[in-house]
Amino acid sequence: MGAASYTSRVPDSPAVLVDGLVMRYGAKVAVAGLSLAVERHTITAVLGPNGAGKTTTLETCEGYRAPQQGSVRVLGLDPIRDRKALLPRIGVMLQSGGAWSGVRAVEMLRHVARLHAHPLDPTVLVDRLGLEDCGRTPYRRLSGGQQQRLGLAMALVGRPELVFVDEPTAGLDPAVRRTVWELLDELRTDGVTVVLTTHYMEEAERLADRVHIVDKGVLVASGTPLELTRGGPRATIRLVVTEPFPPTAPESLRLALGDGTQVTQLDAVSLLVTGPADPSTLATVSRWCEDNSVLPESLTLGQRNLEDVFLELTGGSSSTVEGVVE
Amino acid sequence: MTAGTFSPAPGAAPFLRQVTTQASMEARLMLRNGEQLLLAVVIPVIVLIGGVRGADRVNLSYGVDTFTPGVLALAVMSTSFTSLAIATGFERRYGVIKRLGTSPLSRTGLLLGKVLALLLVEVLQVAVISAVGFALGWEPHADVLGLLLAVVLGTAAFASLGLLVAGSLRAEATLAAANLIYLLLLAGGAVVLPVSAYGSFGDVVSYLPSGALGEAMRAALSDAAIAGRDLLVLAAWAVIGAAATARTFTWE
């Protein structure tokens, strides 16, 4: 059976539809009425600080947890009730683990392949992901990056229509990260829908057709990377100083700059000014530094990128964001 | 859309293939693991040779005809209880069960795979231990149905108890508990030596799964009999263990 005939008879419901999802762990609310959709044949990135509810949402889509409120549909199916029909059609890459400690890398991949009806040839994935060297190595002796790639291979070997990949390139070196990006790109070209969570803004900006930004269990923004970065004033001034700012600094600088600018504290010693980066704004920032006896270490002009949008929307405390790529 | 390398073609393998795939993987991993192999084959063989030689020296009334069925019972216990508990404990820890939870393999398929793997390893154990027994002059009077019932019901009872331990404790605690219980039952559970060797304590011991399995195995291989009472005791343990496991087991 050809791939074209397969995809053509799949109804056109969204690949993933989350509607008013609420999930609590005891008193803690992990997901607070989240709604989002993932269109088929796209790469969709779900961004959010740690604890935003990304993994909980993903695990609800994967059938690990039942929604406490709201509903979740994956390929038009209920992940719990229609589990048997759904599971063969999705691939899941966990953040870590997922293999016996004594199993050999390729043996594990063959095992998962044999649970499926029309699996990919495992050697294709081994080649593509550069796993040739770990064929007979037990899982526990693989490096973190190799375990990561094997996890991705296990998610893909059953030829799923939809894959959920949780931080696929965390901890990979830049060359391998590019290999994984190319692979994810090719998946989309071949008609697979990809849902990915990531901490790397560059990854989302480069790969994703659509980005959902989640914070504190709700959707705070969604759109194409271009739409998201175009949404506000595009220029930025990044001010880094030698001593930590007093807590009143962002508000005081915003007052000095007047309307039409936004000031976000990125960490103890850096502020992000979003607004018109004209000479007068620059002069105001310099004057504010002088008035407040603040010694700038660097003052950088730039374009508003996805990371800036992310930080503005999620409260700008970059301490909650791991591995943000500059 | 043209067909590329990754063009979707999803589907589950036939159920039977999933189960045999899982079983052969689990059996291979069990036999590849040094400690597991020690528990499955080496210790039982040492107990058999040591028991027969030792009993000979101190003029104990038990010989190879008593020890061989007892050691076979010990082997079933070590695989279906200790090995299964430890393996499952670490599968939970390493996220294997979570990972397989999103594969086409169902919970039933996973459980059947595990049982089949245990039976495969047990066949191997029976072959090795019987060969050693024959070499030591064992002359069985066997009832094949009695033997099969003892192995199957013994496996069911011990496997359900093994999963109970693995499902309620952390991996390290499971490792410790499964080994400790194994040693206690080996020493005082009437598995290798008959219940009659335990004097007045024998009545109690015969209600333990170890005592019941040992007696059922000795009846089947020494007296060519089916030990109905002991098999019932094993069945009762299997039901109790399965019910408790179903209430407490979590796959993560």
Side-chain angles (χ1 to χ4, degrees):
Chain A
M1 174 177 52
S5 70
Y6 184 83
T7 42
S8 63
R9 64 184 168 78
V10 175
D12 263 352
S13 58
V16 177
L17 196 58
V18 175
D19 186 15
L21 178 67
V22 177
M23 296 293 281
R24 296 182 196 86
Y25 298 112
K28 189 183 168 293
V29 178
V31 181
L34 180 72
S35 298
L36 58 81
V38 171
E39 293 308 320
R40 289 183 193 240
H41 316 309
T42 61
I43 297 182
T44 298
V46 180
L47 300 182
N50 286 334
K54 302 185 300 285
T55 300
T56 301
T57 304
L58 236 56
E59 291 192 346
T60 313
C61 295
E62 294 155 1
Y64 284 123
R65 301 165 200 288
Q68 290 165 357
Q69 272 176 49
S71 73
V72 170
R73 288 290 175 276
V74 178
L75 301 172
L77 299 170
D78 180 326
I80 303 272
R81 205 189 49 217
D82 307 320
R83 194 179 173 77
K84 205 169 141 56
L86 178 62
L87 288 182
R89 297 170 61 186
I90 64 171
V92 173
M93 176 190 176
L94 301 174
Q95 260 182 49
S96 64
W100 288 281
S101 74
V103 75
R104 292 169 188 133
V106 173
E107 186 182 31
M108 185 70 211
L109 191 54
R110 286 193 192 288
H111 178 69
V112 177
R114 280 186 60 83
L115 300 174
H116 288 89
H118 324 285
L120 284 174
D121 179 354
T123 56
V124 170
L125 285 164
V126 166
D127 283 353
R128 293 294 302 270
L129 286 164
L131 290 167
E132 301 91 343
D133 297 339
C134 13
R136 291 188 60 80
T137 312
Y139 186 74
R140 64 173 174 277
R141 296 223 186 87
L142 297 178
S143 71
Q146 289 169 332
Q147 293 187 354
Q148 196 97 337
R149 281 175 276 157
L150 181 61
L152 180 58
M154 289 196 287
L156 301 179
V157 76
R159 302 186 69 173
E161 290 167 68
L162 168 64
V163 288
F164 293 98
V165 287
D166 207 354
E167 300 187 17
T169 61
L172 295 185
D173 68 54
V176 179
R177 180 173 301 160
R178 250 189 303 280
T179 310
V180 170
W181 285 349
E182 282 162 16
L183 190 68
L184 293 177
D185 242 342
E186 191 178 333
L187 286 172
R188 169 180 45 195
T189 309
D190 289 350
V192 180
T193 308
V194 179
V195 178
L196 99 138
T197 69
T198 183
H199 280 307
Y200 297 112
M201 300 301 137
E202 189 194 348
E203 184 162 289
E205 208 154 14
R206 178 166 168 161
L207 281 180
D209 301 296
R210 203 162 187 88
V211 175
H212 294 303
I213 299 180
V214 176
D215 189 31
K216 301 186 179 76
V218 292
L219 186 70
V220 291
S222 81
T224 65
L226 197 62
E227 282 165 5
L228 286 173
T229 49
R230 202 170 46 197
R234 301 196 60 196
T236 58
I237 300 169
R238 195 179 291 259
L239 170 64
V240 180
V241 295
T242 51
E243 302 265 322
F245 288 110
T248 52
E251 187 53 23
S252 129
L253 178 57
R254 208 197 58 75
L255 283 174
L257 287 164
D259 291 341
T261 51
Q262 198 181 346
V263 179
T264 312
Q265 179 143 18
L266 300 178
D267 58 41
V269 294
S270 35
L271 291 178
L272 181 73
V273 177
T274 322
D278 50 29
S280 111
T281 308
L282 269 177
T284 311
V285 172
S286 307
R287 201 161 48 244
W288 179 83
C289 288
E290 185 186 11
D291 293 349
N292 291 274
S293 314
V294 166
L295 182 62
E297 195 175 84
S298 75
L299 193 60
T300 327
L301 298 183
Q303 290 295 301
R304 190 166 174 265
N305 61 17
L306 198 53
E307 184 190 341
D308 301 326
V309 176
F310 177 81
L311 292 172
E312 286 162 27
L313 288 168
T314 59
S317 75
S318 71
S319 59
T320 59
V321 184
E322 280 176 1
V324 168
V325 176
E326 290 293 323
Chain B
M1 199 169 303
T2 55
T5 314
F6 299 105
S7 298
F15 183 70
L16 205 62
R17 189 170 95 201
Q18 291 184 36
V19 171
T20 54
T21 298
Q22 185 67 19
S24 84
M25 176 64 111
E26 296 215 11
R28 254 180 298 148
L29 289 170
M30 220 180 271
L31 295 174
R32 191 182 294 166
N33 182 314
E35 296 103 85
Q36 304 263 41
L37 202 60
L38 189 74
L39 210 58
V41 179
V42 180
I43 292 178
V45 167
I46 290 173
V47 170
L48 177 56
I49 296 174
V52 172
R53 289 280 147 79
D56 214 22
R57 200 158 303 159
V58 297
N59 288 324
L60 208 64
S61 53
Y62 306 119
V64 69
D65 291 345
T66 308
F67 277 113
T68 310
V71 167
L72 287 172
L74 177 70
V76 169
M77 182 176 98
S78 73
T79 298
S80 54
F81 177 73
T82 314
S83 294
L84 177 68
I86 294 171
T88 308
F90 281 96
E91 281 175 356
R92 286 175 77 223
R93 148 72 71 80
Y94 292 129
V96 178
I97 294 185
K98 184 176 185 181
R99 176 67 190 75
L100 292 175
T102 56
S103 79
L105 184 69
S106 63
R107 299 301 193 210
T108 316
L110 179 62
L111 209 57
L112 283 177
K114 281 186 177 298
V115 171
L116 194 58
L118 295 179
L119 294 175
L120 282 172
V121 173
E122 284 167 2
V123 165
L124 192 86
Q125 290 176 296
V126 169
V128 172
I129 293 163
S130 303
V132 175
F134 286 126
L136 294 170
W138 179 38
E139 287 171 17
H141 301 278
D143 182 296
V144 175
L145 181 63
L147 172 66
L148 286 178
L149 284 172
V151 169
V152 168
L153 288 174
T155 300
F158 276 111
S160 69
L161 296 170
L163 289 177
L164 180 64
V165 174
S168 41
L169 300 179
R170 284 182 310 110
E172 288 79 9
T174 297
L175 180 73
N179 278 317
L180 182 67
I181 293 171
Y182 170 82
L183 283 176
L184 289 175
L185 291 180
L186 168 61
V191 57
V192 178
L193 289 178
V195 166
S196 56
Y198 287 77
S200 56
F201 192 51
D203 284 345
V204 182
V205 179
S206 69
Y207 284 99
L208 291 179
S210 53
L213 175 59
E215 291 304 295
M217 202 69 101
R218 280 181 284 274
L221 294 175
S222 302
D223 307 327
I226 296 175
R229 178 202 157 280
D230 297 304
L231 293 174
L232 267 179
V233 171
L234 287 177
W237 277 105
V239 170
I240 293 167
T245 303
R247 291 176 70 91
T248 57
F249 195 87
T250 53
W251 293 94
E252 283 175 44

